[in-house]
Amino acid sequence: EDQVTQSPEALRLQEGESSSLNCSYTVSGLRGLFWYRQDPGKGPEFLFTLYSAGEEKEKERLKATLTKKESFLHITAPKPEDSATYLCAVQDPSGTYKYIFGTGTRLKVLA
Amino acid sequence: EPEVTQTPSHQVTQMGQEVILRCVPISNHLYFYWYRQILGQKVEFLVSFYNNEISEKSEIFDDQFSVERPDGSNFTLKIRSTKLEDSAMYFCASKLVAAGEKLFFGSGTQLSVL
């Protein structure tokens, strides 16, 4: 069965302390890997799409990378406003291309 | 930027009652989805809708659930006889094309079944 696994489940960082979040996937025939940010009580907010191994995308303090089996979301010098849950999803290559989500990483950045 | 709109933001209902959750997807999008998220758990796929019919549904989406696009702009999820375990945040999402395209999510409806 296709799976998406994220680690760690939770992460506490001091402001300015860089780190990486991991998303490993086992879906065959990747049609896209997506990173979303989710704030409490809100819907997922799109960050990045990655399609092929070696691809990288950047936005402010965030950088997403992709290999054949996993993706990393690197957070450089985070600020308290980066605190959120970060979700990874892959697109199911069959049927209607629904997203399969991981359980997310809850990030807390302390001032 | 265009956005997906969901109403109400919160819905409280008694077990056994019917609820309708409403969504207005982005106007030129063609693919529509409902997802749900039980507190502390992952975002789960419920159903997808394209060309005025259900294109895929999960095992969660049993006979108590139904979806409609009654007027070309609204997209609704009906739960006929709510159960305690239906309590969750329900998200509507839409996208323009099928493959490789990002999903736009609404802010969700928090459903509480008492």
Side-chain angles (χ1 to χ4, degrees):
Chain A
E1 182 180 320
D2 296 335
Q3 281 197 329
V4 180
T5 304
Q6 291 188 248
S7 62
E9 287 186 12
L11 183 62
R12 290 167 70 93
L13 298 173
Q14 293 294 323
E15 185 172 3
E17 180 187 2
S18 301
S19 188
S20 296
L21 315 182
N22 176 264
C23 171
S24 62
Y25 61 93
T26 57
V27 64
S28 54
L30 184 70
R31 296 289 184 102
L33 185 141
F34 303 83
W35 282 98
Y36 282 81
R37 170 188 171 129
Q38 186 178 28
D39 292 300
K42 302 291 186 184
E45 177 186 341
F46 173 78
L47 292 173
F48 303 109
T49 309
L50 301 166
Y51 293 104
S52 55
E55 190 174 358
E56 299 182 352
K57 295 271 180 76
E58 280 189 73
K59 180 181 178 181
E60 296 181 357
R61 294 176 292 282
L62 300 177
K63 179 180 174 180
T65 61
L66 182 66
T67 71
K68 288 187 178 179
K69 293 184 178 180
E70 58 191 350
S71 178
F72 292 93
L73 184 66
H74 307 278
I75 303 177
T76 302
K79 298 182 178 181
E81 54 261 42
D82 295 321
S83 297
T85 296
Y86 291 86
L87 303 174
C88 169
V90 297
Q91 193 162 44
D92 183 351
S94 63
T96 57
Y97 304 102
K98 66 181 183 290
Y99 282 21
I100 303 167
F101 279 90
T103 50
T105 293
R106 294 188 311 277
L107 174 65
K108 178 76 173 175
V109 181
L110 305 172
Chain B
E1 185 174 68
E3 58 182 28
V4 175
T5 305
Q6 288 187 245
T7 55
S9 56
H10 293 84
Q11 176 85 54
V12 180
T13 190
Q14 295 291 324
M15 189 170 55
Q17 295 297 303
E18 175 182 288
V19 294
I20 297 176
L21 310 184
R22 302 181 190 278
C23 170
V24 179
I26 294 172
S27 61
N28 63 337
H29 283 189
L30 300 175
Y31 295 82
F32 312 110
Y33 302 80
W34 284 101
Y35 284 80
R36 81 172 185 189
Q37 187 175 31
I38 295 171
L39 186 64
Q41 298 187 22
K42 65 169 66 177
V43 177
E44 298 177 288
F45 168 76
L46 290 178
V47 65
S48 58
F49 193 87
Y50 170 70
N51 201 25
N52 287 317
E53 61 182 21
I54 290 174
S55 43
E56 188 176 356
K57 57 185 180 180
S58 73
E59 58 190 26
I60 302 169
F61 194 89
D62 61 21
D63 291 344
Q64 67 165 154
F65 292 92
S66 62
V67 289
E68 270 192 335
R69 189 157 160 79
D71 56 11
S73 60
N74 292 284
F75 181 48
T76 62
L77 174 68
K78 181 191 290 186
I79 309 175
R80 259 179 281 280
S81 178
T82 50
K83 305 171 188 170
L84 295 176
E85 55 264 37
D86 294 327
S87 296
M89 179 75 98
Y90 288 80
F91 294 109
C92 174
S94 69
K95 60 179 177 174
L96 181 58
V97 298
E101 177 73 12
K102 67 183 180 186
L103 266 179
F104 291 80
F105 284 85
S107 296
T109 294
Q110 179 64 57
L111 176 65
S112 298
V113 182
L114 306 180

